[in-house]
Amino acid sequence: MKEERFFYVPDAASQTEMPMDEAMHALRVLRLKSGDEMYLMDGVGNFYRAEVTIAATKRCLYEIHEQIPQTKNWHGRIHIAMAPTKMMDRVEWFAEKATEIGFDEASFVNCKQSERKVMRTVRLEKIVVAAVKQSRKPWKPVLNQMQSFKDFILQPREGLKFIAHCIPDIPRADFFDIVSQPENAQADSDITVLIGPEGDFSPEEVQMAIKQGYQSISLGKERLRTETAALSAVMMAHLARRK
């Protein structure tokens, strides 16, 4: 029995040709040919059973035989906003593993103590797409461009909003205790979690976020690196909101 082959094709239902990078992988690596069956994923909740109609050198055309809508297995949307680390491979590791677990959106914020002030998401998008295909996730997480901490928290957001930090003088509630409460776990509201840089948020940033409706939280007794804290927040939210 042949293994099912999955490819990421945005707007798959309205297209008849795979993007070039996916076509090259299908033709050169997997050696697909006309008549072969494959599955397309559009990143917004649908799989498609399709057949290769034309397999050229760099082009792969297809015909869809069946649309297979998927159901998300967690309530609401999980949004992580983190200060990117100095080493990009750690951000990439977070994005890959968080995608495999399941979350909806990632934002990147420039904080007072951030070590990385500029970030491009082109390579990160490719890593996320690869993780979506590998884990066969129907939804591709949205990746937002970097913005200032102030600009981010001033944007109106629905649902539960949290800022995780390690400042002892500012009271913190346990994140998992909050999101696992029945009224929160079964809700379809958004969950947004702010994760600070390696030097943590400044007290002023935390107070600024609290004034904008963010709850001050802890992710546990351990002191975590930025990317580990971000992944822990995804896992806790995912477990609490899992259907």
Side-chain angles (χ1 to χ4, degrees):
M1 182 177 178
K2 288 186 177 181
E3 182 182 1
E4 296 173 339
R5 280 76 58 99
F6 282 77
F7 301 93
Y8 175 61
V9 182
D11 302 317
S14 61
Q15 305 295 322
T16 58
E17 182 173 356
M18 295 172 66
M20 182 176 291
D21 54 347
E22 292 291 84
M24 297 286 281
H25 181 69
L27 301 176
R28 292 191 176 184
V29 179
L30 299 178
R31 304 290 185 183
L32 295 190
K33 57 185 183 300
S34 297
D36 283 346
E37 184 177 87
M38 61 183 177
Y39 287 84
L40 311 179
M41 47 203 342
D42 60 9
V44 292
N46 297 291
F47 291 163
Y48 301 88
R49 185 171 61 84
E51 178 184 329
V52 178
T53 56
I54 297 177
T57 305
K58 296 182 180 180
R59 300 182 64 188
C60 183
L61 277 69
Y62 61 85
E63 179 181 354
I64 290 176
H65 293 311
E66 181 184 7
Q67 180 177 349
I68 312 171
Q70 302 296 299
T71 301
K72 196 163 71 167
N73 63 356
W74 64 91
H75 293 282
R77 287 177 54 82
I78 301 172
H79 182 184
I80 299 296
M82 65 181 290
T85 56
K86 184 176 181 180
M87 303 298 292
M88 269 303 295
D89 60 342
R90 290 161 60 186
V91 179
E92 293 167 358
W93 175 85
F94 158 74
E96 179 183 67
K97 301 311 174 188
T99 300
E100 291 173 6
I101 293 168
F103 81 125
D104 298 281
E105 187 173 359
S107 295
F108 302 98
V109 292
N110 182 6
C111 303
K112 183 179 180 180
Q113 302 188 85
S114 291
E115 291 191 278
R116 176 175 288 276
K117 303 293 186 181
V118 178
M119 196 189 81
R120 297 178 181 177
T121 60
V122 176
R123 174 174 163 79
L124 211 57
E125 284 279 0
K126 294 180 180 180
I127 290 171
V128 165
V129 167
V132 163
K133 292 191 295 182
Q134 181 67 31
S135 58
R136 298 183 181 178
K137 288 288 186 297
W139 282 266
K140 186 187 83 67
V142 175
L143 299 182
N144 298 316
Q145 295 297 322
M146 196 168 183
Q147 59 185 307
S148 72
F149 175 84
K150 183 177 180 180
D151 286 347
F152 182 86
I153 65 167
L154 289 179
Q155 292 173 0
R157 300 183 189 282
E158 300 295 328
L160 302 172
K161 302 185 295 184
F162 303 95
I163 181 165
H165 63 91
C166 299
I167 302 170
D169 296 336
I170 302 177
R172 296 171 294 159
D174 185 273
F175 174 62
F176 190 71
D177 283 351
I178 297 173
V179 294
S180 59
Q181 292 171 4
E183 64 271 22
N184 293 330
Q186 299 300 315
D188 285 323
S189 57
D190 295 357
I191 292 178
T192 300
V193 185
L194 274 163
I195 304 294
E198 290 153 303
D200 206 352
F201 292 113
S202 69
E204 294 77 17
E205 287 172 328
V206 175
Q207 295 294 355
M208 190 186 305
I210 292 172
K211 288 180 180 178
Q212 294 300 319
Y214 285 78
Q215 299 181 61
S216 171
I217 58 162
S218 166
L219 296 173
K221 295 181 180 179
E222 296 78 12
R223 191 175 183 89
L224 305 175
R225 297 174 71 168
T226 296
E227 72 278 12
T228 311
L231 189 62
S232 295
V234 170
M235 177 62 81
M236 291 178 192
H238 188 90
L239 288 174
R241 285 288 183 87
R242 193 169 181 85
K243 294 180 179 178

